Amino acid sequence: MPSFECNETQFIENISRLLDSENRFVVNRRVQIYDDRRYGPAGMPDEVFMQFSSILTRKGQRSSVYAKTHFLDDYHHRVYFLQDLLHSSSKMKYPILHIPYYKVEYSFRIFGSSYHYSFDVLFKPKISIEQKKITKKMNPRIEEESAMLIHVLQFEPLQEKMLRINLPKKVLLLDFKKANNPLEN
Amino acid sequence: MSEKKIRSISVFIPEEVVCASLEKIGFVQIDSVTTSSDGKFWKKMLYIKGEEIVSVSEELGDYWPKDPVISICCLPNTIKTILGDLDALV
């Protein structure tokens, strides 16, 4: 079956035309959290990197990223120390500090072809200074467990509204977790 | 009451101007997130007025020309107003 990848404008306009032509179809959606090191701080545009600027430093986009201060990555339960290398410019695909994200995939099938649009929504960083219990598991260089005031990097949950494209109520939208293709078995 | 319709367009108008135009007709920004698609990073802003929703996505980074993507899920009259306002700005 032919399968077509669309951008946002193409996907929405295609649905709009199908609605105008009164064709019946179903739009499928899958939303999943990933934390697979796809997005590291070295690859971020400056506007996004700025959100981390109180704890991270770099010379420019695609330059190595270092810790500007000690901090706790509360999402991954890891502590980093001042000047730790967190994303090397020579290992762009393997960031040490990485940002979780939602992968949102939309598709519909009509006239024997399927049309897809997908995008990733990155978790929003929130940086604060808090009293936290630091354990040996958080970094092998920690010798003793202790409670201390430390910069804390957290990732805020995203509003569900930000994880969807907005469609009229008459569009039948079905969510799914995994696509099984019987032809593959 | 008529049903909501959808449209999505990209325009060569700065994102600030598009957002100001939406705010002028009563839309309020409720959130903004960083998204990634087509190998690019985007700032996606969501505007709401009652049941009507508009998202404005602008590519991040040092790119030119900027052409934000505007996706609209609104009543036909509102779509007409938004597109008319944007046309007047071009």
Side-chain angles (χ1 to χ4, degrees):
Chain A
M1 183 208 309
S3 172
F4 300 101
E5 189 74 38
C6 304
N7 62 27
E8 180 178 340
T9 299
Q10 291 165 339
F11 192 79
I12 292 174
E13 285 292 299
N14 287 343
I15 292 178
S16 175
R17 285 173 212 143
L18 285 171
L19 289 172
D20 288 345
S21 67
E22 298 190 348
N23 272 291
R24 294 185 67 82
F25 61 100
V26 171
V27 176
N28 295 309
R29 174 178 63 177
R30 173 162 65 175
V31 181
Q32 275 191 311
I33 289 185
Y34 284 79
D35 190 23
D36 56 3
R37 298 182 187 268
R38 183 171 181 156
Y39 297 107
M44 298 282 135
D46 289 338
E47 295 95 323
V48 184
F49 186 78
M50 279 293 288
Q51 298 169 0
F52 297 87
S53 62
S54 58
I55 54 167
L56 306 180
T57 183
R58 72 176 188 189
K59 284 185 179 162
Q61 194 175 2
R62 303 187 73 79
S63 300
S64 293
V65 176
Y66 297 91
K68 208 171 170 179
T69 181
H70 310 323
F71 71 91
L72 166 67
D73 171 359
D74 206 26
Y75 189 87
H76 300 102
H77 306 290
R78 293 281 302 167
V79 166
Y80 298 104
F81 294 104
L82 177 68
Q83 292 185 343
D84 276 357
L85 176 62
L86 301 176
H87 194 176
S88 167
S89 59
S90 60
K91 291 178 184 168
M92 288 297 287
K93 285 188 177 172
Y94 305 100
I96 295 161
L97 176 72
H98 47 100
I99 298 144
Y101 62 97
Y102 283 96
K103 179 174 273 301
V104 183
E105 297 165 274
Y106 277 88
S107 65
F108 66 85
R109 198 182 280 190
I110 191 144
F111 308 136
S113 302
S114 66
Y115 296 81
H116 304 261
Y117 167 56
S118 70
F119 59 100
D120 299 339
V121 187
L122 278 63
F123 276 55
K124 277 187 187 180
K126 181 186 158 204
I127 297 159
S128 55
I129 298 176
E130 291 178 30
Q131 180 93 7
K132 285 280 181 182
K133 190 178 176 189
I134 305 300
T135 64
K136 290 179 186 177
K137 277 185 190 168
M138 293 173 173
N139 190 314
R141 283 182 283 162
I142 294 168
E143 291 172 1
E144 278 184 23
E145 287 190 8
S146 61
M148 63 170 77
L149 265 183
I150 189 167
H151 281 85
V152 180
L153 167 64
Q154 286 160 325
F155 290 104
E156 291 186 316
L158 297 165
Q159 291 193 59
E160 204 262 334
K161 286 186 180 107
M162 305 308 288
L163 304 177
R164 63 186 185 207
I165 53 175
N166 295 292
L167 300 171
K169 279 182 184 159
K170 71 175 177 183
V171 174
L172 183 56
L173 179 70
L174 299 180
D175 287 302
F176 71 100
K177 189 178 89 175
K178 189 180 174 189
N180 291 317
N181 185 349
L183 298 175
E184 284 175 5
N185 296 324
Chain B
M1 189 167 165
S2 55
E3 282 179 4
K4 286 198 283 184
K5 294 203 173 280
I6 49 172
R7 286 300 313 271
S8 182
I9 53 165
S10 70
V11 289
F12 288 107
I13 298 173
E15 159 240 323
E16 308 82 47
V17 178
V18 173
C19 295
S21 163
L22 289 172
E23 283 164 11
K24 202 177 76 185
I25 56 170
F27 280 89
V28 177
Q29 187 183 329
I30 59 152
D31 202 359
S32 89
V33 288
T34 303
T35 67
S36 169
S37 66
D38 297 335
K40 300 168 185 170
F41 286 97
W42 304 79
K43 178 184 173 192
K44 180 179 178 180
M45 291 158 285
L46 199 67
Y47 283 84
I48 287 190
K49 185 173 97 174
E51 292 280 299
E52 299 178 294
I53 301 178
V54 178
S55 74
V56 181
S57 301
E58 181 169 75
E59 190 178 343
L60 292 170
D62 199 11
Y63 298 100
W64 193 87
K66 297 273 187 185
D67 56 340
V69 173
I70 304 159
S71 295
I72 309 166
C73 181
C74 294
L75 297 170
N77 273 346
T78 312
I79 294 179
K80 208 172 159 188
T81 307
I82 293 170
L83 298 182
D85 286 353
L86 294 174
D87 260 350
L89 291 166
V90 173

